[in-house]
């Protein structure tokens, strides 16, 4: 079998070594920016060049964005390097773990007592259901937080733990007893509604594989070669799923970096990647240490910081990139001063890099020596700049440890008219979008009480809470005739929508729902806010165009699946047709949300002891501390050209103004890599 060829050009020696490995287990330890996606892509193409059918290859990752990028690159390389695609469905199966779970469950839904049109509850829906259950059993949701109970259940499911095991382990403590009672009722209610939550998508798919040898064999034979991205982020259920799929021939390739394990609070188990050689004694290990992303200064800082961690395989990233600028360090008075500094630098980036008319802004000395300032009581400063030459602002990210930190940053961005986007504000979480999708789900799954509850009286049909309770209790015969007619009309609307789903393209179905449900009429005659909501639903129809190529019914099914599984990062990718996503804006996000992304300019804010590293209670301090350091390492390695670090002497948290010490992470960065921002770099006037 030939292993050399044009399809391997452009790979360094280590990447090539991983790409030409064909049979048996393979662990690729890929440092940040080391070209892991490129390596996986070329490995898959090499397998195909050596006669492996594309449809016998599986590649799994964590976000839709990562899966989409990998899928597109693989298909492009296949077309470029092979004579057509083998087989009728000749493409590798590339998906997220959750999408893979959906695929397996839908093929065997009956075994689980489900239909293939089961509803996927998002986090909000699942928490709401638990809140309802608490009320039903006479427990005050204010005393026992539904979200906390949901998180406990989620964590246990991620460990492949069942209710009986949980009860046996936790004993008779009051919280555990309540969790067990709620968990049991929660599972029963989901079965009644033909619905699953996110954790079920992994758990039930893995149980199908574990408890049904014939099903396990189907997928072991279907996918001869398994690729798992971000292996350090897998939990126990994902680990078992991968193990069972690869158990037949051990052709499993996992890619990961112990230094980027930052999701232990979500169940990610670092031991999965650290124990790979123990699980697969014959495994080949390839270390990718050449970084193609960052400058030497940024990379040196990252290396020095992460070497303090003990639970990691030794590696040292290097780069042939230029030395680059030093890392900027700013000591702010408070969070407002810090935000002013960030905006100042963004404006300087625009002024220095953008081809813009020099008109606009004159400012006096800034607070704490910042280059740009304004009286906080004055009118907002109007800033004029051109957005036509480059997507400069889209190359700027401001990272923070906790979501509350975005407030001061957002206020200052607005003050200076800097377009920005906060990751985590997702298109699919808007009320009007959830309402429209709820009509589709209810039409396909009449048992989905949460969806019916959401839309049965939107637009208003005069169906109140008492009537709704009687509907759910199958007591509609006791209702007045006029109310029965309203209910029948609503269910007829769902039937009409279901018929259209089976016959129309996805975008046309959205338009039909808009009219048939009465939403269009309701929002057309409302407020300015209603008009904006209507525009958002129309954008949903535009977004749905990409599903029109799928057969009728399947397009809507895929849209609902993608909407349910959209993550924070997908707010950039999946809504790119939406008007707000077209803004050339600065990205504001937590460090967790930034994982897997990269930007030319990165600001890491709030580097204060107690905030970053973050204080945690009731968990192992040493493990937490190492994870916080990994989190900082991830933040640093998001930057390509310029990195800024900042901390505030005072910060108001939960209404209390606290004095802070700088984060130890700042002291870990070698001083020769840092340059102080502020007093010495003050400028009197900036033109944009």
């Amino acid at each position: 079998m030939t292993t050399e060829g044009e399809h391997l050009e452009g790979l360094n020696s280590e990447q090539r070594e991983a790409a030409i490995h064909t049979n048996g287990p393979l662990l690729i330890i890929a440092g940040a920016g080391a070209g892991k996606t490129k390596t996986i892509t070329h490995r898959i193409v090499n397998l195909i060049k050596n006669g492996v059918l594309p449809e016998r290859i599986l590649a799994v990752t964590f976000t839709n964005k990562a899966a989409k990028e990998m899928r597109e690159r693989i298909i492009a390389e296949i077309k470029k390097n092979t004579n057509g695609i083998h087989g009728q469905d000749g493409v590798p199966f590339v998906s997220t773990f959750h999408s893979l779970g959906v695929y397996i469950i839908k093929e065997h839904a009956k075994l689980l007592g489900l239909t293939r049109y089961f509803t996927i509850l998002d986090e909000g829906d699942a928490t709401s259901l638990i809140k309802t259950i608490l009320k039903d059993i006479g427990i005050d949701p204010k005393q026992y937080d539904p979200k906390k109970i949901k998180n406990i259940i989620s964590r246990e499911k991620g460990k492949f733990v069942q209710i009986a095991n949980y009860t046996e382990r936790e004993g008779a403590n009051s919280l555990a007893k309540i969790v067990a009672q709620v968990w049991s009722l929660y599972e029963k209610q989901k079965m009644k509604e033909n619905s699953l939550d996110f954790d079920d998508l992994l758990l039930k798919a893995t149980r199908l594989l574990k408890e049904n040898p014939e099903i396990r064999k189907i997928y072991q034979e279907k996918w001869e070669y398994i690729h798992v991205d971000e292996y350090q982020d897998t939990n126990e259920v994902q680990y078992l799923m991968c193990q069972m799929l690869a158990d037949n021939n051990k052709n499993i390739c996992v890619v990961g970096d112990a230094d980027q394990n930052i999701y232990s609070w979500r169940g990610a188990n670092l031991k999965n990647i650290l124990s790979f050689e123990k699980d697969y004694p014959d495994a080949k290990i390839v270390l990718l240490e050449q970084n193609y992303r960052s400058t030497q200064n940024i990379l040196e800082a990252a290396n020095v910081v992460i070497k303090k961690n003990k639970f990691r395989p030794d590696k040292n990233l290097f780069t042939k990139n230029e030395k680059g600028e030093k890392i900027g360090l700013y000591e702010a008075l408070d969070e407002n001063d810090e935000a002013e500094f960030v905006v100042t630098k963004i404006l300087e980036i625009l002024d220095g890099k953008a081809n813009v008319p020099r008109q606009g802004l004159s400012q006096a000395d800034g607070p704490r020596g910042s280059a740009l300032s304004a009286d906080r009581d004055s009118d907002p400063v109007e800033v004029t700049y051109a957005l036509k030459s480059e997507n400069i602002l889209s190359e700027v990210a401001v990272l923070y440890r906790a979501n509350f930190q975005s407030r001061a940053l957002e206020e200052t961005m607005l003050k200076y008219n800097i377009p920005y986007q906060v990751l985590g504000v997702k298109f699919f979480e808007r009320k009007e979008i959830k309402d429209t999708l709820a009509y589709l789900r209810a039409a396909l799954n009449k048992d989905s009480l949460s969806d019916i509850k959401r839309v049965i009286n939107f637009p208003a049909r005069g169906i109140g809470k008492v009537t709704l309770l009687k509907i759910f209790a199958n007591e509609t015969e006791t209702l007045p005739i006029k109310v029965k007619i309203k209910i029948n009309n609503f269910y007829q609307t769902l039937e009409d929508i279901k018929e259209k789903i089976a016959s129309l393209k996805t975008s046309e179905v959205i338009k039909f729902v808009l009219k048939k449900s009465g939403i269009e009429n309701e929002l057309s005659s409302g407020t300015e806010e209603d008009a904006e909501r209507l525009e958002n639903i129309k954008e949903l129809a535009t977004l749905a165009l990409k599903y029109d190529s799928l057969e009728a019914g399947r397009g809507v099914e895929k849209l609902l699946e993608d909407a349910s599984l959209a993550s924070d990062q997908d707010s950039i990718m999946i809504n790119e047709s939406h008007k707000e996503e077209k803004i050339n804006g600065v990205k504001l996000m937590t460090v967790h949300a930034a994982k897997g992304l990269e930007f030319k300019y990165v600001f890491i804010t709030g580097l204060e002891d107690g905030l970053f590293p973050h204080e945690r209670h009731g968990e192992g301090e040493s493990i937490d501390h190492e994870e916080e350091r990994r989190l900082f390492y991830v933040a640093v390695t998001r930057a390509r050209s310029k990195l800024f670090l900042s901390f505030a002497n005072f910060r108001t948290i939960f209404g209390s103004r606290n004095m802070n010490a700088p984060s130890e992470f700042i002291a870990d960065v070698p001083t020769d890599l840092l340059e102080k921002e502020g007093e010495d770099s003050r400028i009197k006037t900036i033109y944009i």
Side-chain angles (χ1 to χ4, degrees):
M1 292 169 65
T2 305
T3 56
E4 301 294 331
E6 293 181 7
H7 63 288
L8 298 173
E9 289 181 1
L11 300 181
N12 64 35
S13 58
E14 291 76 22
Q15 290 172 334
R16 179 182 288 256
E17 185 182 359
I20 63 175
H21 180 272
T22 52
N23 295 313
L26 170 66
L27 169 61
I28 304 173
I29 299 174
K36 61 169 184 156
T37 304
K38 180 178 183 179
T39 305
I40 295 175
T41 299
H42 285 271
R43 181 177 193 271
I44 289 173
V45 172
N46 186 66
L47 288 171
I48 295 168
K49 289 279 284 187
N50 281 280
V52 178
L53 294 175
E55 57 267 33
R56 300 295 299 277
I57 299 171
L58 171 68
V60 192
T61 187
F62 276 82
T63 67
N64 291 317
K65 183 178 183 298
K68 179 175 183 285
E69 179 188 355
M70 189 183 295
R71 187 183 302 110
E72 289 175 348
R73 288 174 69 165
I74 288 170
I75 291 173
E77 288 295 327
I78 288 173
K79 288 179 178 177
K80 187 170 82 173
N81 291 293
T82 64
N83 297 322
I85 298 176
H86 304 285
Q88 188 176 357
D89 300 311
V91 291
F93 191 103
V94 184
S95 81
T96 64
F97 270 104
H98 287 90
S99 292
L100 175 61
V102 171
Y103 176 81
I104 293 172
I105 290 168
K106 283 192 173 181
E107 289 202 327
H108 308 281
K110 287 183 180 179
L111 279 177
L112 297 169
L114 300 166
T115 73
R116 68 174 288 109
Y117 297 116
F118 61 84
T119 295
I120 302 172
L121 301 178
D122 63 24
E123 293 296 327
D125 293 333
T127 303
S128 179
L129 181 53
I130 286 173
K131 184 177 181 179
T132 300
I133 290 168
L134 283 169
K135 289 179 178 178
D136 288 345
I137 60 178
I139 294 175
D140 186 356
K142 292 179 181 177
Q143 184 179 0
Y144 291 93
D145 182 10
K147 189 170 184 181
K148 182 179 179 181
I149 292 175
K150 169 69 180 70
N151 289 341
I152 292 172
I153 294 171
S154 178
R155 187 168 64 244
E156 295 301 322
K157 285 184 174 182
K159 295 176 183 175
F160 209 62
V161 171
Q162 299 188 50
I163 300 175
N165 306 125
Y166 171 76
T167 306
E168 183 180 336
R169 189 190 73 214
E170 293 297 321
N173 79 73
S174 57
L175 177 59
K177 288 173 76 173
I178 289 171
V179 169
Q181 185 181 7
V182 171
W183 188 352
S184 177
L185 293 170
Y186 176 62
E187 296 302 326
K188 288 175 183 175
Q189 187 61 33
K190 283 188 292 150
M191 284 301 295
K192 184 179 177 182
E193 294 191 18
N194 189 38
S195 66
L196 300 176
D197 62 23
F198 287 169
D199 302 303
D200 293 327
L201 302 180
L202 302 175
L203 184 64
K204 290 190 180 293
T206 303
R207 277 194 182 146
L208 277 170
L209 295 173
K210 185 177 177 64
E211 296 169 6
N212 299 275
E214 69 284 359
I215 293 176
R216 186 164 67 247
K217 186 178 179 182
I218 289 171
Y219 295 107
Q220 287 175 344
E221 292 179 352
K222 179 180 178 68
W223 295 311
E224 186 181 353
Y225 291 87
I226 315 292
H227 299 77
V228 187
D229 191 18
E230 304 286 9
Y231 193 64
Q232 78 281 348
D233 289 336
T234 53
N235 63 18
E236 186 66 20
V237 172
Q238 290 160 329
Y239 168 79
L240 289 171
M241 179 187 284
C242 296
Q243 197 175 55
M244 285 187 286
L245 289 173
D247 196 45
N248 195 39
N249 49 39
K250 303 295 192 293
N251 287 333
I252 181 171
C253 166
V254 304
V255 187
D257 180 8
D259 292 336
Q260 296 187 68
N261 171 262
I262 59 174
Y263 292 114
S264 67
W265 51 275
R266 213 163 62 185
N269 196 336
L270 186 58
K271 80 171 180 61
N272 292 347
I273 191 167
L274 297 179
S275 302
F276 188 82
E277 294 173 78
K278 182 179 177 182
D279 292 337
Y280 301 95
D282 298 330
K284 181 178 181 62
I285 315 297
V286 177
L287 191 59
L288 303 184
E289 294 178 291
Q290 183 172 353
N291 176 285
Y292 293 90
R293 177 188 300 158
S294 305
T295 63
Q296 291 181 28
N297 282 338
I298 292 170
L299 210 57
E300 185 179 342
N303 280 332
V304 171
V305 167
I306 201 62
K307 278 188 184 299
K308 287 200 169 186
N309 274 6
K310 296 177 182 177
F311 300 103
R312 61 184 295 269
D314 187 43
K315 71 174 187 300
N316 192 61
L317 294 183
F318 69 92
T319 184
K320 295 180 181 178
N321 293 340
E322 62 182 4
K323 191 170 182 65
E325 296 183 51
K326 288 190 175 184
I327 297 167
L329 175 63
Y330 184 68
E331 177 182 354
L333 175 64
D334 58 19
E335 65 267 29
N336 296 314
D337 183 37
E338 181 182 53
E340 289 273 349
F341 162 72
V342 170
V343 169
T344 295
K345 286 300 172 184
I346 291 171
L347 292 173
E348 288 179 2
I349 288 166
L350 277 170
D351 189 46
K353 306 299 181 184
N355 207 2
V356 294
R358 294 190 167 271
Q359 67 178 99
L361 178 65
S362 178
Q363 295 290 332
D365 287 353
R368 305 274 301 131
S370 64
L372 180 70
S373 70
D375 183 344
R376 298 193 198 286
D377 296 323
S378 64
D379 292 332
V381 179
E382 290 295 327
V383 179
T384 304
Y385 48 83
L387 296 176
K388 59 187 179 181
S389 57
E390 294 182 61
N391 290 331
I392 299 173
L393 290 177
S394 296
E395 283 284 4
V396 179
V398 185
L399 310 183
Y400 36 81
R401 180 62 181 84
N403 279 304
F404 77 84
Q405 293 174 253
S406 73
R407 182 197 58 80
L409 292 162
E410 288 189 71
E411 286 180 358
T412 310
M413 295 283 177
L414 289 168
K415 176 179 175 181
Y416 292 108
N417 295 330
I418 301 289
Y420 68 90
Q421 178 190 4
V422 181
L423 255 72
V425 180
K426 292 181 275 191
F427 179 67
F428 287 127
E429 287 182 352
R430 298 173 186 273
K431 178 187 181 301
E432 61 275 15
I433 302 302
K434 292 192 78 169
D435 289 340
T436 306
L437 297 177
Y439 269 102
L440 295 174
R441 284 195 296 266
L444 291 171
N445 177 17
K446 300 290 196 309
D447 294 324
S448 181
L449 303 186
S450 56
D451 287 313
I452 290 172
K453 181 180 177 181
R454 183 179 188 95
V455 296
I456 195 168
N457 207 37
F458 179 75
R461 296 182 175 87
I463 299 174
K465 290 183 179 178
V466 174
T467 302
L468 193 60
L469 288 172
K470 291 196 173 186
I471 293 171
F472 291 171
N474 293 318
E475 296 175 0
T476 53
E477 291 304 315
T478 64
L479 295 169
I481 186 66
K482 286 185 178 179
V483 177
K484 285 183 184 178
I485 291 171
K486 291 175 183 177
I487 294 169
N488 289 338
N489 287 342
F490 169 73
Y491 277 98
Q492 185 56 52
T493 296
L494 296 184
E495 280 299 323
D496 293 342
I497 293 171
K498 186 176 182 179
E499 285 181 18
K500 297 300 181 184
I501 289 172
S503 59
L504 296 179
K505 292 181 177 179
T506 309
S507 60
E508 295 300 320
V509 173
I510 302 295
K511 293 174 186 176
F512 178 79
V513 170
L514 194 55
K515 291 183 181 297
K516 184 68 179 177
S517 65
I519 292 176
E520 184 172 41
N521 186 57
E522 175 83 4
L523 298 180
S524 294
S525 55
T527 63
E528 213 171 289
E529 186 180 349
D530 288 336
E532 185 177 343
R533 287 177 176 171
L534 183 57
E535 285 300 313
N536 286 334
I537 299 173
K538 289 179 178 178
E539 286 293 338
L540 176 63
T542 301
L543 175 65
L545 286 169
K546 73 176 188 177
Y547 300 92
D548 282 356
S549 59
L550 299 174
E551 61 185 89
R554 178 60 187 139
V556 168
E557 211 178 321
K558 191 71 173 70
L559 169 62
L560 291 174
E561 180 185 322
D562 288 350
S564 296
L565 302 180
S567 66
D568 287 352
Q569 289 187 2
D570 299 327
S571 61
I572 293 177
M573 174 200 74
I574 206 163
N575 309 314
E576 53 196 13
S577 67
H578 193 269
K579 59 180 180 297
E580 290 187 7
E581 306 303 327
K582 293 179 182 177
I583 292 175
N584 173 24
V586 175
K587 301 295 184 289
L588 307 181
M589 68 188 89
T590 64
V591 182
H592 283 100
K595 174 82 180 296
L597 303 177
E598 61 179 74
F599 302 89
K600 190 172 184 180
Y601 309 96
V602 171
F603 294 82
I604 307 176
T605 62
L607 281 164
E608 297 133 34
D609 187 38
L611 181 56
F612 198 2
H614 204 61
E615 285 184 354
R616 297 188 186 185
H617 304 285
E619 297 180 46
E621 188 176 337
S622 61
I623 298 297
D624 285 347
H625 194 78
E626 292 218 349
E627 181 153 335
E628 288 296 307
R629 188 172 293 279
R630 292 194 294 267
L631 195 57
F632 180 63
Y633 171 82
V634 166
V636 168
T637 54
R638 297 312 93 198
R640 294 203 302 271
S641 299
K642 180 68 178 180
L643 177 66
F644 297 95
L645 310 178
S646 63
F647 67 97
N649 289 307
F650 298 91
R651 188 176 299 273
T652 303
I653 301 177
F654 301 124
S656 176
R657 186 173 170 85
N658 302 315
M659 188 172 182
N660 310 301
S663 168
E664 65 183 82
F665 298 152
I666 293 175
D668 289 340
V669 177
T671 54
D672 63 319
L673 299 179
L674 295 170
E675 61 180 358
K676 187 177 180 182
E677 300 280 352
E679 300 271 345
D680 296 337
S681 61
R682 183 183 308 195
I683 55 176
K684 303 289 184 182
T685 306
I686 183 169
Y687 293 102
I688 304 167

